[in-house]
Amino acid sequence: MGFREIFRIERMRVDPALTQALRSRWDTEASAFAFPWGHMIPSLEDVSRITGLRVYGRAVSGYTYPCYHDLAECLLDLPVEHRSSLVPRVALQESLGLYEAGKNAGENEDEYLVRLARVSRRELASEPGPQADLDLRRFLVLFLGRLLFATRGDVVHCRFLPLLEDLGEVGGYAWGAAFLAHQFDGLSASERQTSTSGFYPFLQVWAYVHLPALGRGELTRPGLVPIARRWDSRRDTHH
């Protein structure tokens, strides 16, 4: 469906100091990072190599409706308030059986995520077609709204739901191009905002690759693809 490679990326430690430093260098007028040697911007090639997302294909575009009530009830079978375009994150997680799934004793974060993925695959494989399609749409809405195109708040926007009606077409969209546009939009937001929206490992790995003198990343798994799988964040020992 176009997301296989990004799902293979391991968890990465957040580096807020690096993110804030990059934001402070963002030139809104030029839509680029302003460094002493000139301007630099992340490219579609960076998106493809770092995340594995597809950067060519059908455009991720369409109308944004003020209300997704009927569409959400039809495609997600979840309640959305009238005149609303938002679905609660908790409702999505509960529908997928992920909200109360806790860690086992002695289980680290990576082992926990691997177990969740294994259980989810087994449940989807045992479900009839319509129910599997329903859960897949719920998962994709959660993934797109809370990870890839994340925004602030504890709710998930349904703006991508019309593109998920035909699941056979989902893999043909240029999700990587839409992701890069979302990154630019987030960087050009209010200067008082110190964090970036969207999939945070992308900008961190972009800095590791293009600004190696900063020494913020550690190349621990050379040769893996996409490139984000090769890097870990170094633990910051300074305040």
Side-chain angles (χ1 to χ4, degrees):
M1 302 191 79
F3 303 120
R4 177 182 177 182
E5 297 302 325
I6 197 170
F7 288 155
R8 297 171 67 192
I9 297 174
E10 291 81 4
R11 285 177 59 85
M12 182 179 293
R13 187 183 300 112
V14 182
D15 190 342
L18 176 60
T19 300
Q20 292 176 24
L22 287 173
R23 282 195 63 88
S24 70
R25 288 287 183 176
W26 184 256
D27 184 344
T28 303
E29 292 185 4
S31 293
F33 293 112
F35 296 118
W37 55 86
H39 287 83
M40 293 178 65
I41 60 170
S43 66
L44 287 174
E45 182 180 358
D46 289 322
V47 173
S48 178
R49 295 177 66 220
I50 292 172
T51 70
L53 288 171
R54 182 187 177 111
V55 296
Y56 57 90
R58 298 174 60 187
V60 179
S61 63
Y63 295 103
T64 301
Y65 301 103
C67 176
Y68 288 83
H69 175 268
D70 294 339
L71 196 60
E73 285 197 340
C74 176
L75 297 182
L76 300 178
D77 194 23
L78 291 175
V80 174
E81 294 183 7
H82 285 285
R83 299 182 181 180
S84 175
S85 58
L86 306 172
V87 60
R89 172 186 57 83
V90 172
L92 273 173
Q93 290 182 315
E94 286 180 337
S95 71
L96 294 167
L98 300 177
Y99 185 65
E100 295 182 353
K103 291 184 184 179
N104 293 329
E107 189 175 44
N108 63 35
E109 194 72 24
D110 290 331
E111 292 169 339
Y112 170 59
L113 290 174
V114 169
R115 179 170 61 83
L116 279 184
R118 185 171 60 249
V119 171
S120 298
R121 290 193 194 100
R122 186 173 64 243
E123 290 298 320
L124 283 173
S126 65
E127 291 176 345
Q131 182 61 41
D133 289 350
L134 187 67
D135 283 346
L136 181 54
R137 286 195 189 91
R138 291 170 176 173
F139 171 76
L140 288 175
V141 167
L142 185 64
F143 165 69
L144 294 171
R146 292 293 296 173
L147 182 63
L148 198 58
F149 301 98
T151 55
R152 289 188 167 190
D154 201 42
V155 290
V156 182
H157 202 289
C158 293
R159 57 184 169 170
F160 295 110
L161 199 50
L163 304 182
L164 305 179
E165 185 170 2
D166 184 351
L167 292 172
E169 297 291 329
V170 173
Y173 287 101
W175 294 105
F179 168 75
L180 185 59
H182 181 73
Q183 289 286 304
F184 281 9
D185 185 61
L187 287 166
S188 298
S190 172
E191 294 181 357
R192 292 176 294 179
Q193 184 175 324
T194 57
S195 61
T196 57
S197 58
F199 185 60
Y200 72 86
F202 171 70
L203 277 183
Q204 290 186 196
V205 175
W206 182 84
Y208 301 159
V209 173
H210 295 288
L211 306 172
L214 294 178
R216 303 296 296 188
E218 189 171 359
L219 185 63
T220 57
R221 297 175 292 273
L224 294 184
V225 291
I227 288 178
R229 298 182 64 200
R230 304 178 186 181
W231 294 87
D232 283 330
S233 300
R234 285 183 178 167
R235 192 175 296 277
D236 199 342
T237 58
H238 302 285
H239 188 276

